[in-house]
Amino acid sequence: MASYTIALAGNPNVGKSTVFNALTNLHQHTGNWPGKTVATARGTFTYGGETYTLVDLPGTYSLLADSAEEEIARDYIRSGEADATVVVADATCLERNLNLTLQVMECTHPVILCVNLLDEAEKKGIAVDLTALQDALGIPVIGTAAGGGRGLDALRAAVRQAVHTPLPPPPPIVSYPDTEGLCADQRQDAIAGALLTRARELAAAAVRTPEDAHRRDRRLDRLFTSKATGIPVMLLLLGAVFWLTITGANVPSELLSRLLFSLQEPLRSALAYIHLPALLQSALVDGVYRTVAWVVSVMLPPMAIFFPLFTLLEDAGYLPRVAFNLDHHFKCAGACGRQSLTMCMGFGCNACGVMGCRIIDSPRERLIAILTNSFVPCNGRFPTLIALITMFFVTGSGLTGSLLSAALLLAAIVLAVAMTLLASRLLSRTVLKGTPSSFSLELPPYRMPRVGQVILRSVLDRTLFVLGRAVMVAAPAGLLIWLLANLPAGDASLLSAGARLLDPLGRAMGLDGMILLAFLLGFPANEIVIPILLMGYLSAGSLTDYATLGELKALLLANGWTLRTAFCAALFTLFHFPCGTTCLTIRRESGSWKWTALGVALPTAAGVVLCMAVNLLLH
């Protein structure tokens, strides 16, 4: 059976991923381009008895190679590896998209233009004359609304015809000025200007746009991006996402916990059946399995809620508005406005936030974003923060208590964002000096998110990926925790001996040695800090849960906790070293253990200094 390779190019936010997913029907895999941190996706589809491999190129506005994405897209298109190239364009703003189309046409042949999102254009009264556009460009032009499957058969047929009987290469349709004697930057500006002029002419001839086509988007932008309401609305939306994540995860987390922990004894029986020594049985079941089960039951439900909600905001076109609102603040800190997006991803999982830093073009600013992402609390730290706030700082109950808890949690988040900006400014003035770069920030049209695709993409690409890394770290850590709790050191366990060793530092920070040790042993996942603390206080041999917050508070008070202890514990929950999964991700994305060590040291130093300062002030 014959096989062909098709490159899929396009600007960001044109529905390219929707076209890719619709054509390949999830017969795809993802990875990185060789030597790059930019992601690649490849998929296959069959048409007319032949197999087509679709290569999804990074979304880019140009092929002038100002970023890693543009360089990859340009080099792949010019390489000749693809038998044909499909350029996906947005029918609601075709002029901007035609700029890339013209550049691709000059690099390769055959080229097919896929004018996507026709359904959204029609809702806005925008009419695109596909025949006129095809005649002007001299290449096949196919109209689609990929979200609903419209036009995909025509696109498949056009791809098949392009690889078998392509149209002859069209004559040059862009008139470039004489650039002799100009420097490289001036020459590039002249070329870009000629391309934009021709794209404008083509769009004017083929597109009819009513005056009020973008009225709704402008109205929404007055709410979401104005100086008066932009940041307050952003905080309310993010607060709603956090609240839904926290409250929605409680029941599934409890059910999953019951299921996983109910398998402990059957697993122990199976190990006994194969005559495994009792000590090894306990190490594997009470140490490795119990820790992994705890991490999965606590991490999976919040991530399965947060990431789809976050991706829905992204799919609806809101997240670029977050970058717009915070761009000035990050620029003042010597960083990139896109860091605001990766910071928001860190609220779900710092490892995903670090991976998201790939969207930042400047290596210096990307590294700043990577090293400071752990200053914002991930979903693994929220349960501890909420428990401490509820037990020690909220006196009311019902709606009043929940609103006060939400307000205090929001205050903690604002403090975390402020510390992120402060740390970014510190790095940009010291070890990562440089001039802040500029970048093109597109505010895409608002659109109804594709819920089914969003859920599938978030679960497969983010939730399960991060959970897999967490389990890899949690399994050996569970064995270590069990050994420390069960191996003697004089008249106590190694766990108690370690707590005594750390006690002087803990007291200086307003904590105690057992609290510090719980944070250290919680390195595989922040979710297990409180269970480890209870295991230490109760001298238990395995991770211990608590029935109610009242019982937990009574136990903490019995072990010397005060309001000052709770305040310092909340601060250290906010600011301490990232979890093991995030550390591995920092190493992978930065390519250096040196930068990974700095990424660990920065939030830890901030937490230690703040706790010591608060302890001195409140002593």
Side-chain angles (χ1 to χ4, degrees), residues 472-492:
M472 288 174 59
V473 176
L479 180 60
L480 175 63
I481 293 169
W482 183 88
L483 289 172
L484 292 175
N486 289 274
L487 294 180
D491 58 346

Side-chain angles (χ1 to χ4, degrees), residues 321-612:
R321 273 79 183 177
V322 173
F324 179 85
N325 290 330
L326 295 178
D327 176 59
H328 175 71
H329 302 282
F330 278 96
K331 184 177 181 181
C332 291
C336 176
R338 287 178 177 168
Q339 186 177 335
S340 60
L341 300 180
T342 65
M343 179 187 68
C344 290
M345 291 180 68
F347 285 117
C349 173
N350 293 130
C352 274
V354 170
M355 288 173 56
C357 295
R358 298 172 180 180
I359 66 173
I360 299 174
D361 298 332
S362 164
R364 182 187 71 87
E365 292 170 350
R366 186 187 310 127
L367 197 51
I368 290 175
I370 288 172
L371 297 179
T372 58
N373 194 270
S374 296
F375 276 88
V376 296
C378 65
N379 69 61
R381 286 183 261 177
F382 278 122
T384 304
L385 279 173
I386 294 168
L388 292 174
I389 289 171
T390 304
M391 289 186 295
F392 290 95
F393 303 103
V394 176
T395 55
S397 59
L399 181 61
T400 302
S402 63
L403 289 176
L404 181 57
S405 297
L408 290 173
L409 183 60
L410 190 58
I413 291 169
V414 171
L415 174 61
V417 173
M419 290 295 293
T420 301
L421 291 169
L422 182 62
S424 298
R425 184 174 179 81
L426 175 67
L427 287 170
S428 67
R429 293 294 182 90
T430 55
V431 294
L432 291 170
K433 287 182 180 179
T435 303
S437 64
S438 60
F439 69 99
S440 299
L441 177 60
E442 178 199 6
L443 296 183
Y446 295 96
R447 57 172 63 103
M448 286 299 295
R450 299 171 291 274
V451 178
Q453 291 184 18
V454 162
I455 292 175
L456 189 63
R457 192 167 74 244
S458 344
V459 170
L460 293 179
D461 292 350
R462 294 177 178 174
T463 304
L464 295 182
F465 176 79
V466 174
L467 187 66
R469 284 194 175 186
V471 168
M472 288 174 59
V473 176
L479 180 60
L480 175 63
I481 293 169
W482 183 88
L483 289 172
L484 292 175
N486 289 274
L487 294 180
D491 58 346
S493 66
L494 285 174
L495 192 68
S496 299
R500 285 199 298 266
L501 186 65
L502 292 172
D503 203 57
L505 176 59
R507 298 295 174 185
M509 295 171 56
L511 308 171
D512 63 34
M514 190 59 75
I515 300 173
L516 278 187
L517 186 59
F519 276 104
L520 287 172
L521 295 178
F523 175 73
N526 290 287
E527 292 84 351
I528 61 176
V529 168
I530 287 185
I532 293 173
L533 183 62
L534 296 182
M535 183 173 72
Y537 281 155
L538 296 172
S539 299
S542 61
L543 294 183
T544 305
D545 198 1
Y546 52 92
T548 65
L549 287 180
E551 289 183 13
L552 176 59
K553 183 179 180 180
L555 176 64
L556 297 178
L557 291 173
N559 282 272
W561 277 54
T562 64
L563 196 62
R564 183 181 64 200
T565 311
F567 194 84
C568 292
L571 273 178
F572 202 63
T573 301
L574 266 181
F575 307 116
H576 68 274
F577 46 84
C579 70
T581 306
T582 304
C583 289
L584 289 176
T585 308
I586 293 175
R587 169 63 182 85
R588 178 185 176 190
E589 298 298 312
S590 68
S592 166
W593 284 113
K594 177 188 71 174
W595 293 120
T596 305
L598 185 57
V600 171
L602 275 174
T604 307
V608 171
V609 170
L610 285 173
C611 286
M612 285 184 172

